[in-house]
Amino acid sequence: LESAYRYVSGVDEEDIDAIIEGEESVLILSEKDESNRYTTFLIKDNGKYNIGNGSNNDKYLCGELYSDLDLSVSILTCHSTNDHYVLIEVKDDTDRAVADSLESEFVRVDYAGRLNPNQKGNKASYCAYIANFDENYTVTIDGVDYVPYNFEYS
């Protein structure tokens, strides 16, 4: 997995922050340095990983649930597999209470300690594989529900 990822992104294994396993794909969050963060899909294929259609061409923003100056909530899908993931990015380092309607397992990646104090950017990301994404999917962050609108469902 790590060697396939290194081939795709040029990022070393120690720069991988999180690996989120889907049914037919893997979503990898990494950071090469403070200004280069990557969200990359690898396709599972008979126990091996491949790059799909090339570098990051398989990543597709299915839709955005919410976005403002402090928070963004996006649904990503991997075209070749139809796997869906939720990616939440926050601008402060406050620990958020994050859940969804499918009881998905969220992974938190903390970037706050890596940024210099004056640098703007996301301080943390939360990500999860969504096993059965549909129009009933809801993400709850700190007690507020975010629901899909204008999405493509498969």
Side-chain angles (χ1 to χ4, degrees):
L1 172 63
E2 287 82 1
S3 62
Y5 178 67
R6 191 176 322 111
Y7 176 78
V8 170
S9 67
V11 173
D12 293 324
E13 185 176 336
E14 63 267 10
D15 297 319
I16 295 174
D17 294 311
I19 298 173
I20 296 92
E21 293 272 344
E23 190 69 30
E24 302 174 74
S25 67
V26 174
L27 178 63
I28 301 173
L29 302 177
S30 64
E31 179 181 56
K32 192 170 180 95
D33 54 51
E34 292 176 351
S35 59
N36 292 304
R37 292 193 186 136
Y38 303 95
T39 306
T40 307
F41 283 109
L42 294 179
I43 311 302
K44 295 179 184 180
D45 186 17
N46 293 324
K48 297 182 180 182
Y49 296 91
N50 65 49
I51 61 174
N53 295 328
S55 79
N56 224 11
N57 291 338
D58 276 314
K59 183 171 72 174
Y60 176 67
L61 178 64
C62 183
E64 196 163 51
L65 292 171
Y66 180 78
S67 182
D68 70 11
L69 295 175
D70 298 319
L71 175 73
S72 71
V73 183
S74 302
I75 304 297
L76 304 175
T77 189
C78 184
H79 273 308
S80 300
T81 67
N82 201 33
D83 280 353
H84 291 83
Y85 300 81
V86 57
L87 178 63
I88 301 164
E89 297 178 310
V90 295
K91 303 287 186 200
D92 59 36
D93 57 358
T94 304
D95 197 20
R96 305 290 179 119
V98 177
D100 70 3
S101 55
L102 299 172
E103 299 181 3
S104 301
E105 185 177 330
F106 283 84
V107 173
R108 177 186 159 103
V109 177
D110 185 6
Y111 298 111
R114 302 178 200 177
L115 299 174
N116 71 51
N118 299 320
Q119 185 176 1
K120 295 185 179 189
N122 298 325
K123 305 284 195 224
S125 294
Y126 297 82
C127 191
Y129 169 66
I130 307 170
N132 296 301
F133 178 68
D134 63 17
E135 64 273 3
N136 298 314
Y137 182 74
T138 303
V139 175
T140 305
I141 304 169
D142 296 333
V144 177
D145 288 342
Y146 300 92
V147 295
Y149 58 93
N150 296 326
F151 274 68
E152 295 179 20
Y153 299 98
S154 313

